[in-house]
């Protein structure tokens, strides 16, 4: 027994009984207001969300989600609760998480239908040009910029060199230009197309 147990004249050992314990999946995430919902000049608010069970690992950074759950305070140890006084830190105990946009790898529709549509677009020809023109069609011209944004959306495959070094396939794009030439409008269109974006 420890010195504290000897001082208090308490004997016995604490044994961890795994058979009577229940282990559950647990994940804490931090969600933030969408930039479109924040008033001009305001700072987006954020709150912690606790996911458990099948909800864990369903959300990735950058996902736009709607969380349904219980708004509840953290259960703090007595000494911390006494130090904080009447102030309580709140969190959301999530019951359901709904994604606003599905990722590229998630099967949100029939694969055969998707393949058929891609095949039809390929048979028409000029697939690269047509895809670029479909980004913000209300903005005339800027075809080179739209092609660059299309390549940013698609990306490239990840390379693994012989020495083990990995080269990522994500492409970065810097847009510079005079005011009023639709830079922000083009980027807003790309944000709406991409599964995860800010």
């Amino acid at each position: 027994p420890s010195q504290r147990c000897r001082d208090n004249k308490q004997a016995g050992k604490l044994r961890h009984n795994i058979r009577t314990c229940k282990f559950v999946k647990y994940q804490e995430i931090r969600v933030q207001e969408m930039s479109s919902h924040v008033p001009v000049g305001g700072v987006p608010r954020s709150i912690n969300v606790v996911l458990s069970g099948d909800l864990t690992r369903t959300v990735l950074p950058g996902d736009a989600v709607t969380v349904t759950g219980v708004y509840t305070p953290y259960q703090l140890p007595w000494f911390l609760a006494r130090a904080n006084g009447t102030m309580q830190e709140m969190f959301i105990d999530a019951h359901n998480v709904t994604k606003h946009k599905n990722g590229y790898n998630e099967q949100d529709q029939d694969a055969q239908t998707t393949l058929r549509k891609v095949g039809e677009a390929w048979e028409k020809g000029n697939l690269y040009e047509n895809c670029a023109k479909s980004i913000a069609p209300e903005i005339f011209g800027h075809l080179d910029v739209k092609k660059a944004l299309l390549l940013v959306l698609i990306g490239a495959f990840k390379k693994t060199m012989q020495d083990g070094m990995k080269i990522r396939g994500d492409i970065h794009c810097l847009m510079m230009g005079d005011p009023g030439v639709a830079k922000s409008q083009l980027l807003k269109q790309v944000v709406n197309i991409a599964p995860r974006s800010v």
Side-chain angles (χ1 to χ4, degrees):
S2 65
Q3 186 62 42
R4 186 175 177 184
C5 290
R6 290 197 202 104
D7 295 341
N8 293 329
K9 296 180 181 178
Q10 291 179 342
K13 291 184 178 179
L14 292 175
R15 289 189 176 87
H16 186 56
N17 194 349
I18 296 177
R19 291 185 179 181
T20 58
C21 295
K22 184 180 179 183
F23 299 94
V24 295
K25 295 179 182 177
Y26 179 90
Q27 183 184 13
E28 275 194 36
I29 63 172
R30 192 165 187 83
V31 294
Q32 181 176 302
E33 276 185 300
M34 302 268 293
S35 57
S36 57
H37 298 165
V38 180
V40 177
V43 178
R45 295 169 293 182
S46 58
I47 190 171
N48 288 339
V49 178
V50 172
L51 306 176
S52 57
D54 293 338
L55 291 178
T56 55
R57 298 191 178 187
T58 56
V59 181
L60 294 172
D63 282 344
V65 295
T66 299
V67 178
T68 308
V70 179
Y71 185 66
T72 182
Y74 276 108
Q75 297 294 327
L76 298 174
W78 65 270
F79 56 90
L80 287 176
R82 192 168 125 192
N84 291 342
T86 57
M87 293 290 291
Q88 287 186 321
E89 190 177 351
M90 307 297 287
F91 74 100
I92 296 176
D93 185 11
H95 293 171
N96 184 42
V97 177
T98 306
K99 285 189 180 182
H100 291 191
K101 290 189 274 189
N102 289 323
Y104 295 128
N105 297 327
E106 296 177 16
Q107 297 294 330
D108 57 341
Q109 56 184 353
D110 187 13
Q112 296 295 328
T113 307
T114 306
L115 288 173
R116 182 173 50 79
K117 288 181 179 178
V118 171
E120 289 174 359
W122 175 257
E123 287 172 3
K124 289 178 183 176
N126 293 331
L127 185 60
Y128 181 43
E129 301 274 340
N130 292 333
C131 288
K133 287 177 182 176
S134 66
I135 296 175
E138 68 274 7
I139 298 171
F140 180 76
H142 298 298
L143 191 58
D144 290 338
V145 178
K146 291 180 180 180
K147 285 180 179 179
L149 292 174
L150 177 63
L151 294 176
V152 169
L153 278 172
I154 295 171
F157 59 91
K158 188 186 292 184
K159 285 184 181 178
T160 304
M161 308 303 285
Q162 293 180 352
D163 57 354
M165 185 179 73
K166 292 182 179 178
I167 300 175
R168 56 184 170 77
D170 301 325
I171 302 171
H172 292 274
C173 177
L174 173 65
M175 291 184 67
M176 296 176 65
D178 295 328
V181 293
K183 296 187 298 294
S184 299
Q185 297 298 321
L186 286 168
L187 289 175
K188 282 180 182 176
Q189 290 285 333
V190 171
V191 164
N192 292 332
I193 296 170
R196 292 202 312 274
S197 56
V198 179

